[in-house]
Every structure is written in structure tokens, then in C-alpha cells.
Amino acid sequence: MPVYSQQVMDHFMNPRNVGEIENPDGIGEEGNPVCGDMMTFYIKVKDNRLEDVKFKTFGCGAAIAVSSMVSEMAKGKTLEEALKITPKIVAEELGGLPKNKFHCSNLGAQALTRAIKDYLGKKKAGGDK
Ligand code: FES
């Protein structure tokens, strides 16, 4: 059983921003075929900032803590700033992750990045934002 930091336990027990956004501006999904865990991020964008971020995660405790932390870190940031949230930074903010759980932090950062790219792609294609 891996040993988790207090921050991981806190975000796992009380995850922030769980849920779905109605009519999101972007959706990003990411999964790991090895463990089978999945996460989806939903974003709302206003004036190039992440006005709201929510997620749904079917995964291990670390994956839930990571999603919660990523959503908190991303909220209110500009898209450019949010794209700079890397798995390493997320793991650091969580006070570290056990080595065999590091892939869980990849999922969170990647799902968020995908949601932002989804938004940017739609915008480019002539969306209403
Ligand atoms: Fe796969 Fe955590 S064990 S995301």
C-alpha cells in the first residue's frame, strides 16, 4: 500500500470541483489502459480564462486527488498559464506521490490540456467565443 501525503489524502477525501459543467466550452478525456482509470475534465472559458473547471474521475485515490488538485490550480488561470500545469508540478503541489502512482498525475494534466485544446479547436473552427 503506497504512503500518501496529507494533501493527497485531503483531496481524496474531499475532492473539489467534482461534477460536470452543462454546455462546457471544452471537454478532455484521458485514460490509462494499464490500470483502466479514466478521467474527464469540463471547462468554461471567459475572456481567455478558465472561469470554471469540473471533473469526473473513475480511478484510484491518487487519480482523484490529482484531478481535484488540477481543477483547483487551473481555475481562474489564463489558458496559457493552465497549459503550463505539468504532472510534475501537480505531484509537487500534492506533497509528492509514490513512484508507482506518478502516472496518475499524468492523467490529470493531460485531461485538462485536452479540454483546453478541444476549446481552442472549436474556437478556430468558428465557434461562438
Ligand atoms: Fe491508474 Fe492511479 S492507478 S490512475
Side-chain angles (χ1 to χ4, degrees), residues 12 30 33 74 77 97 107:
F12 170 55
E30 187 66 44
K77 284 207 164 61
L97 280 170
L107 287 190

Side-chain angles (χ1 to χ4, degrees), residues 20-41:
E20 232 173 277
I21 295 176
E22 232 178 279
N23 300 319
D25 294 320
I27 300 181
E29 226 173 34
E30 187 66 44
N32 183 301
V34 178
C35 62
D37 292 351
M38 286 282 307
M39 61 180 74
T40 310
F41 266 81

Side-chain angles (χ1 to χ4, degrees), residues 92-104:
E92 275 167 16
E93 286 289 320
L94 282 169
L97 280 170
K99 219 170 168 190
N100 62 345
K101 287 281 164 186
F102 199 75
H103 80 269
C104 318

